[in-house]
Amino acid sequence: MKAIYRDVIEACQKCIVDCRICLTEMAGKESINDCPKCCLQCADACDNLLKMMTSDSAYVKQYALLCAEICDYCADHCEEHKHEHCIECAKSCRACSEACRKIAA
C-alpha cells in the first residue's frame, strides 16, 4: 500500500464512522432532504475506496474522485440540518472529499 494513501484512509475511516452515527441518529426523524440516505451512500463509497487503496488498484484515482463527489453530496445535505451529528458528519465528509481530491489529481 502506498504511503500517500495514509491521510485518505484516515479521512475515509472517520467519514464512515460519522456517517453511520448520523444515519443512526436520523432513524425515525423527519428529514428535509436526502439525509440520512446520503450517509449510507457516503459510507459505502468510502468503504469501497478503502478497498481500492488497500489492494493498490489501478482505479484508485477514479474511485477517489467519485468518493469526493459523494462526500460533497452528503455534506451538502447534512449541513442543512442543525443536529450536532449532522454538523459533525458534514465536517468529516468535507475533509474526506478534500483528501480524496488530492490523490485523484
Side-chain angles (χ1 to χ4, degrees):
M1 181 181 66
K2 296 178 181 176
I4 60 169
Y5 296 157
R6 204 160 308 281
D7 290 342
V8 183
I9 289 170
E10 289 176 15
C12 281
Q13 289 171 329
K14 178 157 178 36
C15 193
I16 290 168
V17 169
D18 289 341
C19 281
R20 296 270 183 230
I21 290 169
C22 191
L23 183 62
T24 300
E25 292 294 322
M26 287 300 290
K29 291 185 178 165
E30 284 286 323
S31 178
I32 58 173
N33 56 30
D34 278 350
C35 181
K37 184 172 81 172
C38 63
C39 295
L40 182 59
Q41 294 173 23
C42 188
D44 286 347
C46 289
D47 186 50
N48 286 333
L49 180 56
L50 286 172
K51 291 173 185 175
M52 294 295 109
M53 288 186 292
T54 56
S55 67
D56 201 22
S57 171
Y59 298 98
V60 168
K61 287 184 178 189
Q62 292 93 330
Y63 268 91
L65 184 57
L66 179 59
C67 188
E69 291 175 13
I70 294 170
C71 285
D72 285 337
Y73 155 73
C74 189
D76 289 344
H77 289 265
C78 287
E79 285 170 347
E80 291 182 16
H81 290 146
K82 302 301 179 210
H83 310 297
E84 186 62 36
H85 55 88
C86 287
I87 294 166
E88 189 61 31
C89 183
K91 288 180 189 175
S92 294
C93 289
R94 293 285 183 214
C96 190
S97 174
E98 184 178 316
C100 287
R101 288 184 194 286
K102 287 180 183 175
I103 65 166

